[in-house]
Amino acid sequence: MLRLVLEEITSHVKSMDIDDDARILMEKYLREASKVFICGFGESELVGKAFASRLSEIRRDVFVISETIVPEINEGNILIAISGSGETEPTLSITKKAADIGAKIISITSFRDSPLAQISDVVIEIPGRIKAKTKNYIERRVSGEYEPLTPFGALFEISTMIYLEGIIAELANKEVNL
């Protein structure tokens, strides 16, 4: 089973179609923002925290929304919202509020037509999630609703982590070459 899962993940990552326009815009926003905020729920939050750690290593002022001490988000800041379904609460409500304030919104989701994507300035589409029977994250976890072979949306989270590592490499490389 382990080899099968590894093959599925490897094949999935190799087949990802990268939207270069969205990637370039994301990098531009990350270079220009005074502050970067990241939100997600469940495993998406963990991916976001790892990305926040990497951003801090390349000297970005970055905050994870769920942490204890977080400044207010303002116009000109960026919010990166991570949700495989694009429908996860509280990610969606936080993103709506940040958009109302005037922050630039970068969403990372499997569904370009999701509510999260619809309120975003940039949509990074990472395949890997399936349409859930219920929108409620907790209900899905308690009822045992998972994707085959890579449960809990692992294809989305692993692919997002790899994509974000690529973003860090791009940003770090451009800084070195300035």
Side-chain angles (χ1 to χ4, degrees):
M1 182 60 99
L2 176 61
R3 290 191 194 288
L4 187 59
V5 170
L6 291 173
E7 287 171 17
E8 180 178 359
I9 291 168
T10 303
S11 173
H12 180 77
V13 170
K14 285 182 179 179
S15 70
M16 284 176 50
D17 185 22
I18 305 300
D19 179 342
D20 284 324
D21 292 336
R23 177 191 55 82
I24 290 166
L25 196 52
M26 180 180 184
E27 290 171 15
K28 178 182 184 289
Y29 285 175
L30 285 168
R31 281 193 308 276
E32 295 173 355
S34 57
K35 290 184 177 114
V36 178
F37 294 82
I38 299 175
C39 73
F41 191 70
E43 287 80 7
S44 293
E45 179 184 17
L46 297 176
V47 171
K49 285 181 175 185
F51 186 53
S53 175
R54 294 291 203 203
L55 285 172
S56 69
E57 290 172 9
I58 58 170
R59 296 176 303 285
R60 294 298 183 280
D61 201 8
V62 60
F63 304 91
V64 177
I65 294 289
S66 62
E67 294 298 325
T68 305
I69 300 172
V70 179
E72 66 181 319
I73 191 164
N74 295 305
E75 189 173 347
N77 295 156
I78 295 174
L79 175 71
I80 299 173
I82 305 171
S83 170
S85 69
E87 299 176 345
T88 306
E89 287 292 348
T91 302
L92 192 54
S93 58
I94 290 167
T95 303
K96 286 177 184 174
K97 182 66 175 172
D100 289 345
I101 290 169
K104 295 284 188 193
I105 307 297
I106 300 171
S107 65
I108 303 175
T109 181
S110 287
F111 301 106
R112 186 168 292 283
D113 62 345
S114 68
L116 180 63
Q118 298 305 310
I119 58 172
S120 299
D121 298 290
V122 178
V123 179
I124 306 297
E125 189 175 8
I126 305 286
R129 292 294 305 199
I130 61 169
K131 287 284 186 184
K133 294 175 190 163
T134 177
K135 293 180 183 180
N136 186 292
Y137 173 81
I138 301 299
E139 285 179 25
R140 287 195 314 267
R141 294 299 294 264
V142 171
S143 69
E145 187 179 331
Y146 309 118
E147 288 81 5
L149 286 184
T150 52
F152 313 111
L155 276 179
F156 171 76
E157 281 93 14
I158 292 166
S159 300
T160 298
M161 188 72 157
I162 292 168
Y163 182 90
L164 293 174
E165 282 297 318
I167 294 293
I168 293 296
E170 290 281 349
L171 292 170
N173 185 49
K174 286 180 178 150
E175 286 185 7
V176 168
N177 293 319
L178 289 180

